[in-house]
Amino acid sequence: MTTIIMILIALHALSGVFWVGSTFTLARQGGAGSEALFRPQMGAAVVAVLTGAGLWHLLHEAGFGSTEKVLMLGALAAIAAAGVQGALKKKPAVAHRIAAVLLAVTVICMVVSRHV
């Protein structure tokens, strides 16, 4: 079980870092070059969300305390970010700026969740 958790964490972190980093960069550049990164970003989003769901199932399914509430807020923000990026594909500057804020919320939630 530990090996599965380590693999899920690694995939979650790697896909999330790519997604967040590329979104922040594209937001800063006004969406320039977003066409080339759309599919990789959405692929990373899917991997991040699915591995996050797997981690939730393995590590947090038993209860719904403060930690889980904060993680759920982060997960919802990430899902919303992916939705915004997909829905506003034709307006990349707006899409990436909104998604960057939502993904910042996601990262903050993951970082502080163990301390609430």
Side-chain angles (χ1 to χ4, degrees):
M1 182 69 79
T2 303
T3 303
I4 292 170
I5 292 171
M6 289 188 312
I7 290 169
L8 286 174
I9 289 171
L11 291 172
H12 188 65
L14 290 170
S15 61
V17 165
F18 171 75
W19 183 22
V20 171
S22 60
T23 298
F24 282 22
T25 301
L26 290 168
R28 178 79 170 102
Q29 295 176 343
S34 63
E35 312 82 35
L37 285 175
F38 182 76
R39 288 176 57 106
Q41 278 192 309
M42 291 301 98
V46 168
V47 171
V49 169
L50 290 178
T51 55
L55 288 166
W56 181 281
H57 175 71
L58 294 172
L59 301 173
H60 298 282
E61 191 175 52
F64 198 71
S66 299
T67 297
E68 288 76 21
K69 289 175 185 173
V70 172
L71 287 172
M72 181 62 71
L73 174 63
L76 292 173
I79 292 166
V84 165
Q85 285 176 309
L88 297 177
K89 184 178 175 184
K90 303 233 187 251
K91 296 181 180 182
V94 174
H96 291 295
R97 288 178 182 142
I98 294 169
V101 172
L102 291 167
L103 290 172
V105 169
T106 298
V107 171
I108 291 167
C109 288
M110 286 191 296
V111 170
V112 303
S113 67
R114 299 189 80 182
H115 305 285
V116 293

